[in-house]
Amino acid sequence: MELEVRHLRALCAIADTGSLHKAARQLGVSQPSLTTQLRRIENSLGAELFTRERTGCRPTPLGRSVLSRARPLVADMAALVVEAKASAARAGGPRLRVGSTASRALAGWMRRLRGRLPGTDIALHMDVSANALLRMVAAGQLDVAFVHEVEGCPLLVPEALSSRVLVEREPQFISMARDHPAAAAPVVELADLAEDRWMVDPTVDGEWDGLRRVLNAAGLNPPVLHGDYLTAASLIAIGEAVAPCQPTSGPREDMAIRPLRGDPLAVRLLLFRRPGDCDELYEAVYADLSAAYREAALRAAAYRQWLLRHKSPLLQAPAA
């Protein structure tokens, strides 16, 4: 078997994430497929490139040597593709490449951008990993990235990027079954969820570490399930789990969204870009994101009440 760029990209992803599961999610393939691919690469080279441990994958000495040669090749190929696409985009008209982690503000943001920039090809790239999006901005694959940074778990920000804060501290609410005993109160005590199973997606940067920090600080050690939040929603609805959620989360008949007493879980919302890009366009993109987020925040009843209690500046309409 001859090594190809896709093989080198897979090796870099495994090394960067430290996990076959996380790397598979990042690459958009199944874990069994990636495992098989790694085995074929190692068979081709005649030795193991990673040691498999309970805590993840670590490069062997040979693996580190291969990675040192693979990374610049992958970066050069990515740069070639970016430059080619940029040339094609310039020939075909203006283009804006937007990256984002999940947010209820996205629909309103895209609607505003398309209204503001008619004739512009606006591409949206979603990823559960904020760090992956930041790397794409630094590599020129994205123009801007809207991401969240879990409190206590700083993002790995490339030196080439600059940021602007959208929300300094967004509280994370809790989603639970509609008939959960704690749902009867407008604000939930963390201790009231001590016996529940908590569900968290470990592929979201900082999510598990941030939750573990808060639970440990409260002296709690509840059972934890790892999985994506689409699966979590179905388990939460039947009372099998509770999970952190964005305060802008929409209402559901089978689910309750409540703030936690003291707001121990929080994230910071940021918009990143490369310095030197058009300042006027960046300001417009930020203004549309800010308006879209405010719209989503005020539409969510539980969050709107939280904003009222805290006299948040989000309640004030921006100047025309």
Side-chain angles (χ1 to χ4, degrees), residues 59 199 305:
M199 194 154 189
Q305 291 301 314

Side-chain angles (χ1 to χ4, degrees), residues 4 7 28 53 76 83 88 96 113 133 149 162 183 206 227 235 242 302:
E4 302 174 13
H7 299 137
E53 302 172 350
D76 286 346
E83 290 169 9
L96 178 65
L113 287 175
L133 292 171
E149 179 181 63
S162 64
L235 295 177
V242 299

Side-chain angles (χ1 to χ4, degrees), residues 303-316:
Y303 194 21
R304 187 171 62 248
Q305 291 301 314
W306 185 95
L307 294 170
L308 285 167
R309 287 197 302 274
H310 291 79
K311 298 181 173 58
S312 170
L314 276 174
L315 296 171
Q316 302 171 11

Side-chain angles (χ1 to χ4, degrees), residues 193-215:
L193 307 175
E195 302 302 320
D196 287 281
R197 295 184 185 88
W198 286 69
M199 194 154 189
V200 66
D201 187 343
T203 65
V204 180
D205 294 329
E207 201 91 337
W208 169 224
D209 290 336
L211 176 60
R212 180 167 49 190
R213 178 180 62 83
V214 169
L215 292 174

